[in-house]
Amino acid sequence: MKFADSLMSATPLVGAAMLLLTGCSAMSQLSGGGGVVSSAVIASIPVGEGPTLLALSADGSRLYAASNSQFSVINTAGNAVIATISIDPYPAGLALTPDSARAFVTNLFAVKLTTVDLAINAVDSPIQLFASLTRGGFGRVSVSPDGTAAYVVNGANQAMAVVDTVTPDTASLMMDMQPVDVAVAPDGRTAYVAGCKNFCATGTVEVLDTTSRLVTTSFAVGPKPYRIVLSPDGKRAYTTNLGGPSVSVIDLATNQVTATVPVPIEPTGLALSRDGARIYVASQMAGTITVIDASTNSVQATAKVADNAREVVVAADGRRVYVSTLHSVIVVDAQSLGAASTN
């Protein structure tokens, strides 16, 4: 765990920069250069230089990949890039509006939310975020179910931006931790913010009332959380934890961790199938995809799929899993992993 520990022990912005800028090349040296190594991989789609963030349209017909200075639009039926758009370097967060009309992208040293109009595949007017002591630092983004608000974490400044996407207007919320990721509940009333306090031997999730914009409670998760997602019914949350490494399973009725599932080193990607039955974890250093059965919180399969496996999203029908690597997005057959969804 020396590599992951060094990332998180640095200052927040330096740590983020190390993971964004050097993580992929370092993994290439360790594991042999970014090659696809699993028979479960059915396609490899070239995109820009990593790190590459992924988001899937609501109907599953388009996959969007935000790479270094390049935003790629992928037709999932043909597994091919159909458009590329120039964006700022070093993307740190990517999210779509629920209707898949717009994409929001943050960039490590920018103080704006880049907006991409997905109807015409062109960059629209950006939304200004707030200036801060440490420039930039904006990372993961989560959009409310009605599409009217976007929540953007800023670990470097222990803050979060709340963006009115209609006006547009931005408010800043100061946090008592370094937030790394945020997920909004299906009813839009609550946001769950994962992050670190002090040395982060234990991670923290703070529960934010989106109306009052006040933290109502908090609870502990695994050490050094990196990603957080919610189940489709909003009853559970999952965090990947760089310390361990592991996945924490949280019952949101009690705000208690009910299970801790070990996964391979450096779990940087986390996604659920749309029926909530399967949890997929991409472990960058290990180059693996781990499939967890959500009903039993047990590992169903772990497969080496590609060096530098970083981000993961799941197709609408659960039959394909998309994983970003150093210079490409690979398409993985979920059935070959023994983990096809029952959608």
Side-chain angles (χ1 to χ4, degrees):
M1 287 299 296
K2 291 182 179 179
F3 183 75
D5 288 345
S6 69
L7 293 173
M8 300 302 293
S9 63
T11 63
L13 189 54
V14 171
M18 289 174 65
L19 189 54
L20 286 167
L21 306 182
T22 68
C24 288
S25 60
M27 295 310 98
S28 179
Q29 293 171 9
L30 285 169
S31 55
V36 174
V37 294
S38 173
S39 58
V41 174
I42 58 176
S44 180
I45 307 165
V47 292
E49 180 183 2
T52 296
L53 309 179
L54 300 176
L56 192 68
S57 65
D59 65 3
S61 66
R62 297 290 183 267
L63 176 67
Y64 301 98
S67 305
N68 188 13
S69 303
Q70 178 177 305
F71 186 91
S72 301
V73 182
I74 298 168
N75 178 359
T76 57
N79 293 326
V81 174
I82 58 174
T84 59
I85 305 161
S86 294
I87 58 172
D88 288 345
Y90 314 132
L94 169 64
L96 307 184
T97 53
D99 60 3
S100 302
R102 291 189 290 172
F104 298 119
V105 184
T106 59
N107 303 88
L108 192 60
F109 300 106
V111 289
K112 65 181 180 181
L113 193 60
T114 297
T115 302
V116 182
D117 184 332
L118 300 178
I120 59 175
N121 292 330
V123 173
D124 204 346
S125 299
I127 299 173
Q128 194 67 25
L129 301 175
F130 56 82
S132 49
L133 181 64
T134 301
R135 179 176 175 81
F138 292 99
R140 297 285 179 180
V141 187
S142 184
V143 181
S144 63
D146 63 5
T148 63
Y151 300 84
V152 189
V153 298
N154 189 315
N157 293 284
Q158 295 192 190
M160 186 165 67
V162 181
V163 179
D164 183 326
T165 62
V166 179
T167 314
D169 187 40
T170 300
S172 61
L173 298 181
M174 300 309 297
M175 310 288 292
D176 63 349
M177 65 174 183
Q178 301 161 8
V180 295
D181 200 6
V182 56
V184 183
D187 63 8
R189 296 178 180 177
T190 307
Y192 296 88
V193 188
C196 281
K197 297 182 179 181
N198 301 320
F199 295 102
C200 210
T202 300
T204 300
V205 172
E206 295 192 338
V207 182
L208 179 76
D209 182 307
T210 58
T211 301
S212 66
R213 297 181 180 175
L214 296 175
V215 172
T216 59
T217 189
S218 65
F219 53 88
V221 293
K224 301 177 183 176
Y226 188 70
R227 296 301 315 273
I228 183 169
V229 299
L230 305 183
S231 62
D233 60 10
K235 294 182 178 180
R236 294 176 303 282
Y238 303 90
T239 64
T240 56
N241 311 305
L242 294 179
S246 62
V247 172
S248 294
V249 182
I250 304 108
D251 181 345
L252 294 179
T254 61
N255 291 333
Q256 295 289 324
V257 173
T258 58
T260 300
V261 185
V263 294
I265 192 168
E266 207 169 61
T268 53
L270 178 64
L272 268 65
S273 59
R274 292 196 178 181
D275 61 3
R278 299 289 181 266
I279 307 154
Y280 293 86
V281 181
S283 294
Q284 180 172 274
M285 183 174 283
T288 58
I289 292 294
T290 298
V291 188
I292 300 170
D293 185 328
S295 65
T296 61
N297 296 322
S298 60
V299 173
Q300 185 175 16
T302 297
K304 175 85 175 186
V305 291
D307 298 338
N308 307 304
R310 184 183 177 88
E311 295 283 312
V312 58
V313 295
V314 187
D317 63 4
R319 297 179 182 274
R320 300 287 184 266
V321 178
Y322 302 94
V323 184
S324 67
T325 65
L326 192 59
H327 296 292
S328 64
V329 174
I330 62 171
V331 186
V332 180
D333 177 32
Q335 188 71 46
S336 295
L337 296 176
S341 171
T342 55
N343 283 356

